[in-house]
Amino acid sequence: DAGVIQSPRHEVTEMGQEVTLRCKPISGHDYLFWYRQTMMRGLELLIYFNNNVPIDDSGMPEDRFSAKMPNASFSTLKIQPSEPRDSAVYFCASSLTGGSKNIQYFGAGTRLSVL
Amino acid sequence: GQQVMQIPQYQHVQEGEDFTTYCNSSTTLSNIQWYKQRPGGHPVFLIQLVKSGEVKKQKRLTFQFGEAKKNSSLHITATQTTDVGTYFCAGRDAGNMLTFGGGTRLMVKP
């Protein structure tokens, strides 16, 4: 399996622009997680889905952030409008209920810089 | 909600010295996982502990789960430069929710 695939790997944009981050989970996994990582705040859970349904979005910082999972093999995290404080590495992870140890498998991340 | 705290936040060691990171949960856990993130990389699963008082070893790494299932530790014997990275514990609560600690960043001086 190719693992969790995220795109783009790097994104540089200007304040006010819309940013869309993409994630393809491991085939067959039923949970998908979006995390944000910064030096100041560490690894933060933003939102997670179970069987394509958002379960908990309490970690989404504000209304500028939205996430969708239209099908089992694709999810997006959108920031509109983006701000410099959104600069971070965004990770997507997936896991399988009842799978060996319920391990979370992380993608390589998207490094976002908002100028 | 569940909180998972890790200490220390950073640790510098000389190559060959030992290293320990500690993880504490505000609630009793059903299990705990440990992940390692290399610089510029992503978190990668290392191990899971399930039983009270459990101890597991992976070469120079020793993982312990406390008797009360609220704390855990990772000890590295004789660190090497390849051990550099951030080590995260992640506690799973009764509701099956996995919560990551803040991580301990290990730096090793050759």
Side-chain angles (χ1 to χ4, degrees):
Chain A
D1 200 315
V4 176
I5 300 173
Q6 289 186 247
S7 65
R9 288 296 311 277
H10 303 272
E11 177 80 32
V12 181
T13 190
E14 292 189 345
M15 183 173 64
Q17 296 297 306
E18 177 180 297
V19 175
T20 299
L21 311 181
R22 296 172 176 79
C23 175
K24 176 178 166 52
I26 292 173
S27 177
H29 281 193
D30 56 348
Y31 277 87
L32 184 140
F33 306 84
W34 281 101
Y35 291 90
R36 178 172 69 175
Q37 187 174 41
T38 60
M39 288 294 290
M40 289 294 293
R41 300 174 70 89
L43 193 63
E44 301 174 274
L45 177 64
L46 301 177
I47 186 171
Y48 73 94
F49 296 82
N50 178 220
N51 291 322
N52 314 338
V53 176
I55 303 300
D56 185 351
D57 66 353
S58 59
M60 296 285 261
E62 45 195 277
D63 292 345
R64 297 185 297 107
F65 286 69
S66 63
K68 293 182 180 179
M69 192 164 184
N71 57 63
S73 58
F74 184 64
S75 177
T76 60
L77 178 67
K78 187 176 293 187
I79 308 173
Q80 165 63 18
S82 58
E83 296 182 4
R85 61 193 167 119
D86 301 331
S87 298
V89 180
Y90 291 81
F91 288 106
C92 174
S94 70
S95 68
L96 174 63
T97 304
S100 176
K101 301 183 176 65
N102 270 358
I103 298 168
Q104 287 195 14
Y105 295 87
F106 285 75
T110 295
R111 183 173 294 276
L112 174 64
S113 297
V114 183
L115 308 177
Chain B
Q2 178 190 354
Q3 290 188 333
V4 178
M5 309 296 291
Q6 264 185 274
I7 56 170
Q9 206 172 354
Y10 304 94
Q11 182 87 60
H12 284 88
V13 300
Q14 196 73 40
E15 189 173 20
E17 291 182 341
D18 292 356
F19 159 77
T20 304
T21 173
Y22 300 91
C23 181
N24 288 285
S25 169
S26 58
T27 59
T28 302
L29 302 170
S30 58
N31 61 59
I32 194 158
Q33 297 181 345
W34 285 90
Y35 291 74
K36 177 183 178 182
Q37 182 180 20
R38 295 182 186 275
H42 57 279
V44 175
F45 174 82
L46 291 177
I47 205 162
Q48 176 170 285
L49 304 170
V50 178
K51 299 176 184 176
S52 169
E54 188 170 13
V55 178
K56 287 189 177 180
K57 291 191 175 185
Q58 287 181 350
K59 298 183 181 178
R60 295 177 294 103
L61 277 61
T62 302
F63 303 84
Q64 289 189 315
F65 201 9
E67 293 290 340
K69 300 184 75 173
K70 294 182 73 173
N71 57 73
S72 181
S73 65
L74 158 59
H75 179 83
I76 303 178
T77 303
T79 55
Q80 299 176 358
T81 54
T82 53
D83 295 325
V84 164
T86 301
Y87 292 86
F88 292 95
C89 64
R92 190 176 300 280
D93 62 21
N96 208 33
M97 185 65 192
L98 193 68
T99 300
F100 280 81
T104 296
R105 185 177 170 192
L106 172 63
M107 288 153 280
V108 180
K109 289 177 276 189

